[in-house]
Amino acid sequence: MKWKSHAAFYDEALVYLKKRQQGKIHSFMTPWPKINDAGIKGFEYNSITIIAARPGGGKTLMKDQMVREGFKLNKGQGIRVLEFQLEMVGRNSKIREFSSVSKKSYKYLCSAETEGITITDDLLDKCAQYAINASKYPIDIVEDRVTAQEFKAEVIEYMKTHSIKEEGVTIYRKTLVTLDHSVLIKKMKNQSTLDMLNMLGEVCTELKKMYPIAFIILSQLGRDITTPVRCENGKYGNYPNSNDIFGGDALNQHADMLIALDRPALRHITAYGPDRFIINDDTVLAAHILKSRTGDTRMSFFKAAFENMSIQPANTPAQEPLKTKK
């Protein structure tokens, strides 16, 4: 039978609340209190979070920092991470990680920042030591492009492989599954991009009901947000909305949380939105929580430290005063 009495779900809900009260169940905590507060002290397992931005908007930066700092922030949960890294070469992502922890630019680490200046042996040794320590964390990476169905099969196999049995009961490990990014999922024969995204959303929804997974899926914001009318200072159209997410409802309807990251300076906006927030440099990131099924929607500001591949909290910018007609 496919139906269950609603009494069974009351029981599940009460057990969940009791275990959260007792500290036996936690969400996945991110490095940013503003993001955690928009959810339930982070991202709940059995959930899907979509992070969308234009190229260079900081979405991969955000995902990488979550993975990099996730184990320290979520001690005692026994989590694993499975990354579908379909866009970036694995080596490059690790150099970005070295950049973050060493506070040196990617170019410097590659001995390409200044003519005649190369990475020091001491720093290279520090990167090697970091790699030894970080390799202890249970993170696995899939680099080959897969279809939505192959993505599903890979996740199922991963969850089964790392499960344990206690008194005859299968216990699945809490797992963060990241996908960078949705449009790089391989289309099946005669399948459109929209159909592929619909299938991916359905697959993730099915998997989140089966396993304690927190999905982090990266997506694009469409080009409409870059049109001149949406780049005029002080307009509501400066802000991204759910219709800007590439593929529209194909993924949106499956998301438990939807985050749109925006770098207003890339669109030459200096007075952002109807509140006319003053944007004075290109590191300002606006994180728009457009959907949160269990939390609340909001806009929060951050600073992108691209030189060391991290995102830092920032105060809400000052507002430009409205000009009054005489």
Side-chain angles (χ1 to χ4, degrees):
M1 292 186 299
K2 292 186 177 181
W3 62 84
K4 276 174 145 183
S5 165
H6 71 155
F9 294 108
Y10 281 133
D11 291 341
E12 286 181 24
L14 289 168
V15 168
Y16 182 79
L17 294 180
K18 185 67 175 178
K19 287 186 176 181
R20 286 202 72 115
Q21 179 199 49
Q22 295 171 336
K24 295 179 179 178
I25 291 180
H26 305 271
S27 300
F28 178 84
M29 293 282 283
T30 79
W32 310 283
K34 293 177 183 178
I35 299 294
N36 294 332
D37 191 48
I40 306 297
K41 287 191 175 180
F43 301 147
E44 285 187 287
Y45 293 94
N46 309 104
S47 72
I48 301 169
T49 298
I50 295 174
I51 303 173
R54 291 294 297 158
K59 58 185 181 295
T60 302
L61 211 60
M62 179 171 273
K63 182 270 295 181
D64 286 348
Q65 192 170 348
M66 281 188 216
V67 173
R68 187 170 65 244
E69 300 181 22
F71 292 94
K72 291 181 181 178
L73 294 171
N74 297 275
K75 287 181 179 178
Q77 292 193 40
I79 64 172
R80 296 192 67 91
V81 175
L82 176 62
E83 294 202 79
F84 286 82
Q85 207 167 81
L86 310 183
E87 182 176 45
M88 189 177 298
V89 176
R91 176 197 65 214
N92 292 357
S93 80
K94 294 310 177 189
I95 296 174
R96 285 163 63 103
E97 195 169 332
F98 292 148
S99 175
S100 174
V101 298
S102 68
K103 309 302 180 188
K104 295 292 185 181
S105 71
Y106 187 102
K107 289 183 70 173
Y108 175 82
L109 294 180
C110 292
S111 301
E113 189 168 70
T114 305
E115 187 66 31
I117 303 296
T118 62
I119 182 174
T120 65
D121 289 339
D122 182 57
L123 181 53
L124 199 54
D125 288 342
K126 287 180 180 178
C127 289
Q129 187 57 52
Y130 172 84
I132 291 171
N133 294 333
S135 295
K136 299 173 184 176
Y137 294 124
I139 301 174
D140 297 289
I141 296 172
V142 176
E143 280 193 303
D144 296 334
R145 290 183 66 191
V146 292
T147 66
Q149 288 300 324
E150 289 168 340
F151 174 84
K152 176 183 175 180
E154 198 79 33
V155 172
I156 290 174
E157 183 64 25
Y158 191 82
M159 297 304 292
K160 288 180 177 178
T161 298
H162 297 289
S163 65
I164 59 173
K165 283 200 179 277
E166 291 184 359
E167 298 179 356
V169 177
T170 301
I171 307 296
Y172 295 103
R173 296 279 294 274
K174 291 178 179 176
T175 303
L176 185 72
V177 175
T178 72
L179 170 59
D180 188 359
H181 58 75
S182 60
V183 77
L184 292 177
I185 288 288
K186 190 163 61 176
K187 290 181 285 189
M188 296 190 298
K189 187 177 180 180
N190 299 323
Q191 188 180 43
S192 69
T193 299
L194 190 59
D195 287 340
M196 177 274 288
L197 291 173
N198 270 312
M199 180 176 286
L200 176 63
E202 290 170 2
V203 160
C204 289
T205 295
E206 184 178 352
L207 289 170
K208 79 171 186 180
K209 291 184 176 182
M210 294 167 62
Y211 304 111
I213 294 174
F215 283 102
I216 308 293
I217 299 175
L218 305 190
S219 186
Q220 291 274 27
L221 291 177
R223 290 195 181 110
D224 182 71
I225 198 170
T226 65
T227 57
V229 69
R230 295 192 64 182
C231 297
E232 294 178 20
N233 279 329
K235 302 294 185 181
Y236 186 78
N238 296 163
Y239 297 159
N241 59 65
S242 58
N243 292 327
D244 291 315
I245 310 301
F246 185 83
D249 286 342
L251 282 178
N252 292 356
Q253 63 185 350
H254 295 278
D256 296 286
M257 181 176 284
L258 176 59
I259 303 172
L261 289 179
D262 192 18
R263 282 176 70 193
L266 293 186
R267 295 186 283 139
H268 307 289
I269 295 171
T270 57
Y272 190 50
D275 295 305
R276 304 185 72 84
F277 294 112
I278 297 172
I279 306 299
N280 50 25
D281 67 73
D282 67 359
T283 67
V284 174
L285 287 179
H288 298 258
I289 313 293
L290 301 177
K291 179 181 180 182
S292 181
R293 279 183 174 155
T294 54
D296 61 290
T297 58
R298 61 178 65 185
M299 175 172 59
S300 299
F301 287 91
F302 299 86
K303 284 272 190 178
F306 291 102
E307 68 280 2
N308 53 48
M309 302 299 173
S310 65
I311 293 175
Q312 305 299 329
N315 294 327
T316 301
Q319 294 170 263
E320 187 180 273
L322 289 173
K323 295 179 180 178
T324 57
K325 293 182 179 180
K326 294 184 180 179

